[in-house]
Amino acid sequence: MEQPTAEQSFAALLEVSAVPLLKQHGFRKQKLTFRRERDDVVDVVNLQLDCQYRRRIENIGSGIGPHVTVDAETDIPATADIVCAALTSALEVMCQLRGPDDIVRFALSDIDFDVFRYRFATGDKAGADEHYQRARYQFGAEPRWQRLDDLFRQASARTVGAD
C-alpha cells in the first residue's frame, strides 16, 4: 500500500477532527475555511498546511500550541485529539467575543496591524501608541524592524487619512 502524501494526511486529519467539531458548533465549511455568524460577529477559522499570519490560534487562547505538524507519517488519531483540544480552547475564547472591542482586548500579538488600525479608527491614540511601543520594544532590534515600522506608519496614515 502506498504511503499517503502530507496533503492526504492533512485532509484525513481534518475529516476526523476539525470538520465534525466545527460543524457541531454551527460553522459552515467552504474548502478549508469555516464561518459562523452570531450576533454582530463572524467567526472564521481557516486551516492550512502553510499559514500566513492573521490571528493565530495561540494568540486567542492560553495553552494552545502554535501549530500541528502534519506529514505523510502523521498519527492521525493522536493528532486529531490535539487538533480538537486546540480548537475547543479557541472556541471557548471565541464565544466570549461579542464585537471589535472584545477582539482588541484578546489580541496578544504586538504586530497585529488590524488591532493597531482599529485603535486609531476608534480614537484610542494612547492604545495605538502603547501598541507601537510594545512592538518596538519586542522587535526593534531585529533586522525586520524597519519593514514592521513601515507597516505601522502605513497603517496609521491610512487610518488617519480616512477620518
Side-chain angles (χ1 to χ4, degrees):
M1 183 172 178
E2 191 174 314
Q3 178 115 358
T5 65
E7 290 81 9
Q8 290 168 329
S9 293
F10 184 67
L13 172 64
L14 295 184
E15 286 303 316
V16 299
S17 62
V19 172
L21 178 68
L22 292 171
K23 284 189 174 187
Q24 174 187 346
H25 286 276
F27 284 82
R28 299 179 89 161
K29 180 181 182 285
Q30 184 175 15
K31 296 185 182 179
L32 295 177
T33 300
F34 300 79
R35 295 174 51 93
R36 169 180 72 181
E37 293 183 28
R38 43 182 192 90
D39 302 324
D40 294 331
V41 177
V42 177
D43 296 320
V44 178
V45 175
N46 180 261
L47 305 168
Q48 302 176 7
L49 275 172
D50 291 315
C51 181
Q52 299 297 316
Y53 179 80
R54 184 63 172 187
R55 189 92 63 256
R56 293 185 191 258
I57 195 169
E58 72 271 16
N59 289 342
I60 65 167
S62 62
I64 301 170
H67 66 277
V68 174
T69 300
V70 178
D71 59 28
E73 298 167 3
T74 295
D75 179 343
I76 300 297
T79 307
D81 290 342
I82 294 167
V83 169
C84 286
L87 285 172
T88 298
S89 294
L91 289 170
E92 288 171 6
V93 173
M94 291 170 85
C95 287
Q96 297 174 39
L97 305 176
R98 298 287 175 215
D101 291 330
D102 289 344
I103 294 167
V104 167
R105 280 192 288 278
F106 272 90
L108 302 177
S109 172
D110 292 325
I111 56 171
D112 190 321
F113 300 105
D114 292 333
V115 170
F116 183 74
R117 279 191 291 276
Y118 178 78
R119 287 186 165 126
F120 262 106
T122 59
D124 182 9
K125 179 148 178 15
D129 288 343
E130 180 183 326
H131 186 119
Y132 173 81
Q133 293 303 328
R134 280 194 321 267
R136 185 175 180 187
Y137 177 79
Q138 184 174 356
F139 303 105
E142 293 183 13
R144 66 179 173 159
W145 174 249
Q146 185 58 54
R147 181 178 55 83
L148 294 172
D149 189 49
D150 290 344
L151 291 171
F152 275 111
R153 293 184 193 290
Q154 291 170 11
S156 63
R158 274 197 308 265
T159 306
V160 172
D163 289 336

